[in-house]
Amino acid sequence: MPVDKQLKAKVFPRIWAKTLKGDKITRDHMYTLHEPFDENKLFEYVCEITRAMDIPTPIILKSHTYHFVHFNVVKFLRSEFVDEVDFDYFTLENTSGTIKPLPRYFNEYD
């Protein structure tokens, strides 16, 4: 992959959002950020994604932000939505690679 594409992927990540019922994807949406990722704006990103997917917005906790930033994926259960939903869970996945490295205390070899 050319260097400029790698740099663009790290600076402007893409988020793959999907709803799942059982093991089947019922809806999905690829969201590209037009600015560098900011973990404080995760709620805004989720609002834009859910609006595009025509589903309710889930409750976002600090643990959700942590999992997305450090593990590139976050899962919202049906119970984390105020409104009734027609799927089992909603996931967000960073398809562009790690946004931030894991904290030192997560390294099992140190």
Side-chain angles (χ1 to χ4, degrees):
M1 188 186 313
V3 175
D4 58 344
K5 276 193 171 182
Q6 288 177 342
L7 181 61
K8 186 175 179 184
K10 288 184 180 179
V11 175
F12 303 117
R14 294 176 5 160
I15 299 171
W16 182 27
K18 52 191 170 187
T19 59
L20 292 100
K21 182 139 184 131
D23 292 332
K24 298 191 188 269
I25 296 174
T26 55
R27 289 181 199 91
D28 71 328
H29 177 71
M30 186 65 73
Y31 178 73
T32 303
L33 277 70
H34 300 290
E35 61 186 9
F37 179 81
D38 181 2
E39 64 187 86
N40 296 321
K41 291 184 176 182
L42 184 62
F43 180 72
E44 293 174 32
Y45 303 147
V46 171
C47 285
E48 290 180 30
I49 290 167
T50 55
R51 191 175 309 116
M53 294 177 73
D54 195 30
I55 60 172
T57 304
I59 297 169
I60 299 177
L61 306 173
K62 226 177 212 181
S63 61
H64 293 130
T65 304
Y66 182 85
H67 279 267
F68 186 75
V69 169
H70 294 289
F71 300 113
N72 296 322
V73 68
V74 64
K75 184 178 188 178
F76 297 94
L77 303 175
R78 181 182 284 193
S79 61
E80 294 168 332
F81 288 84
V82 175
D83 298 330
E84 193 66 29
V85 294
D86 62 347
F87 48 86
D88 295 332
Y89 53 94
F90 171 62
T91 62
L92 298 176
E93 183 177 341
N94 173 16
T95 62
S96 305
T98 305
I99 294 172
K100 280 190 177 178
L102 282 172
R104 182 177 171 84
Y105 54 85
F106 273 92
N107 189 347
E108 61 187 40
Y109 301 109
D110 282 344

